[in-house]
Amino acid sequence: MILFKKIFFIFLIFSFLIGSDRIAVATKVIGSVEFVRGKGFAKSLKKGHIIESGDILKTKKGGFVAILFIDDKSALKIKENTELEIVGNNKNQTIAKRISLMNGTVRAQVEDQRNKDFVVQTSVSVASVKGTDFWMISDKSKGDSIIGIEGVIQLANKISGEIIDITSGITGLSSNNGQLESYNTDPKTIPSDPSGDDNDSQKIKIEFMDASGKKKTLVIEYQ
């Protein structure tokens, strides 16, 4: 077992994963969370699980999962009653990320993407960012809302083709009829983040096969 005390070292260790379909790791799981890979059945997702490109994640009532992308420490927080697909395109040790949100609530805390893409899309909207923090709430019957926490999010409505920028303190609405609008955010509408108050160190256990085919466990402690 190997122990590191700073989260930065996660990404040194996981550098060997870049170039494969492995794109992220689950750092916190609360309640019932499942993943589906390929044509397989739904399986329980646990802390330390490695997310592969194309995985579908589902949180049930009371469920929550936080994941970190292995190339740049961008985080995705997935609240209860949410379903989404995560796709990552690996190139030159970086990952272009696309989150297809079927329904539910997510928070994206995105590091500077430079020449990469980080996109959260629904059947109605596309939110494109280069480095920012925002919530996205998707309701099939009403449309989507984006709550800007930091940075700038480009919000596009697929139906009308309209595009607006959402900044800190602004909420954008993208409706099923193609309308886009924005207004000052009511603080009461900002979802709670179950991982936002973590001050204590956390541990992740990762099992992997070394070059000789032996099974090993990597223990990472971070804050």
Side-chain angles (χ1 to χ4, degrees), residues 33 38 51-52 55-56 87 106 114 147 175 189 210-211 221:
V33 181
I51 309 296
E52 294 188 4
D55 281 357
I56 295 174
V87 174
V106 299
R114 298 183 185 275
I147 302 174
S175 67
T189 65
D210 65 12
E221 184 177 339

Side-chain angles (χ1 to χ4, degrees), residues 132-192:
T132 190
D133 183 356
F134 67 97
W135 285 95
M136 187 166 188
I137 304 166
S138 182
D139 185 322
K140 291 181 179 179
S141 64
K142 298 178 181 179
D144 308 316
S145 62
I146 296 283
I147 302 174
I149 305 298
E150 184 178 315
V152 180
I153 307 99
Q154 185 184 80
L155 177 61
N157 186 287
K158 292 181 178 180
I159 299 169
S160 64
E162 289 188 51
I163 299 174
I164 59 174
D165 285 340
I166 304 300
T167 57
S168 175
I170 299 298
T171 294
L173 295 180
S174 178
S175 67
N176 292 334
N177 62 12
Q179 290 185 334
L180 275 179
E181 58 181 307
S182 62
Y183 53 85
N184 291 331
T185 299
D186 179 351
K188 295 180 181 179
T189 65
I190 300 175
S192 62

